[in-house]
Amino acid sequence: IHSKKKESVTHMKKYKLTCKVNGAEKPVIISEQDSMNACINDYKSLLRTYNPKYVEIQRKKAGDGEWMHLEVTVHAKSHYLCDSADISPKPCNQMSVHIIVYKGYPLKRIKAFYLSDRYLASPNVFTSGGACIDTYIPLKSNLITVVDKVVNDMIHNPSVTNYKSPANAALIDWHKRGVQAGTFPTMPPHLLYRSDEVALPVQRKKS
C-alpha cells in the first residue's frame, strides 16, 4: 500500500515557471494537486465576495487541460458590440464573460473572453471578444483579481479602465464621455459585493 502511494506521488505532474521573487529570477514549482487546490480555494472566495443579486457565477463543463470554466454575468446596465467591425455600443441590462482556469494555475495565465457576437463595449476588450486583463503576474494575479477586473469593466467602472494600452482604441472617447457625463459606472460599484465584503483594491498605472 505504501509503495503505491509513493509511486502516485512520484508521477504527479508538476508545473514550473521562472518568476521574479524579491527582485531575483527564481524557478517556482507547484504540484498538480496544489494547482487544483488553489483554483478551488479561489473559486470559493469568489462565491463569498460577490452579491448574487448583481453578480451570477456559473460553472460550465471544463475542457481538456482546464481546471475550471466559469461564466460570470453582471445584472446591470452595460453596452455591447456585435462583431469585429462594430463601433456603435448598444445598451443592455446584463453582460456575461467566460473565464478559463488552466491546469498549472496560478502559474499559468487565465483566459477571459466574451462571445464574439455579443462582447463588451470597452477600450479594454479586443474586437475578437478577448478581454484584456492587463499584465498577468504569477503569484500576484489570480482568479480573484481577474474576475474583479472584468466585473467592474462590465459596469464601465473607469477605475479599472486602461486608456494607455487599449485593446479597442475606437471606444476611448466614447468611454470618456460616459465618465464625464456621470453615466459610467452604470451602478455604484460597491453593490457588486456582499455587504460584509470590501471591494478589492484596483491597481492602476500612473497616468
Side-chain angles (χ1 to χ4, degrees):
I1 296 176
H2 291 294
S3 62
K4 288 184 179 180
K5 286 185 177 181
K6 184 176 181 180
E7 183 180 354
S8 64
V9 172
T10 303
H11 288 83
M12 183 179 292
K13 188 172 182 178
K14 293 185 178 181
Y15 302 91
K16 180 179 178 181
L17 186 69
T18 301
C19 306
K20 275 193 175 182
V21 180
N22 296 325
E25 296 281 347
K26 294 184 179 180
V28 177
I29 301 173
I30 61 171
S31 69
E32 193 166 52
Q33 186 65 51
D34 288 339
S35 174
M36 181 175 66
N37 289 343
C39 177
I40 292 173
N41 290 338
D42 286 349
Y43 169 70
K44 290 179 178 179
S45 180
L46 287 180
L47 299 182
R48 294 192 300 267
T49 298
Y50 294 100
N51 180 353
K53 179 179 179 181
Y54 296 106
V55 182
E56 180 182 3
I57 302 174
Q58 294 179 304
R59 289 189 68 170
K60 300 293 184 179
K61 184 178 180 180
D64 292 339
E66 302 172 0
W67 281 138
M68 197 171 287
H69 178 173
L70 301 177
E71 183 177 11
V72 180
T73 301
V74 173
H75 297 278
K77 291 182 179 180
S78 189
H79 295 80
Y80 70 97
L81 298 173
C82 296
D83 56 52
S84 60
D86 192 358
I87 56 172
S88 301
K90 298 150 188 63
C92 58
N93 292 318
Q94 68 178 46
M95 197 71 218
S96 297
V97 65
H98 292 263
I99 308 289
I100 304 294
V101 183
Y102 295 100
K103 293 181 178 180
Y105 173 83
L107 299 185
K108 285 196 174 182
R109 182 184 179 89
I110 292 172
K111 180 180 180 180
F113 66 95
Y114 300 86
L115 299 181
S116 59
D117 60 349
R118 195 179 190 278
Y119 63 95
L120 179 67
S122 166
N124 296 148
V125 176
F126 294 97
T127 56
S128 63
C132 180
I133 53 177
D134 298 328
T135 303
Y136 187 87
I137 306 174
L139 307 182
K140 289 186 179 180
S141 305
N142 51 45
L143 179 59
I144 299 168
T145 61
V146 168
V147 170
D148 202 61
K149 167 72 163 67
V150 294
V151 163
N152 276 278
D153 202 17
M154 283 190 275
I155 62 167
H156 305 303
N157 186 349
S159 70
V160 302
T161 306
N162 186 347
Y163 295 119
K164 284 193 170 184
S165 181
N168 190 348
L171 295 182
I172 291 178
D173 289 342
W174 169 80
H175 195 279
K176 286 183 175 180
R177 287 196 301 270
V179 174
Q180 292 169 356
T183 55
F184 294 168
T186 60
M187 65 176 284
H190 74 272
L191 294 179
L192 296 170
Y193 306 89
R194 292 182 183 271
S195 59
D196 55 345
E197 293 285 340
V198 178
L200 294 174
V202 177
Q203 294 183 348
R204 296 192 65 194
K205 295 181 180 179
K206 294 181 179 179
S207 57

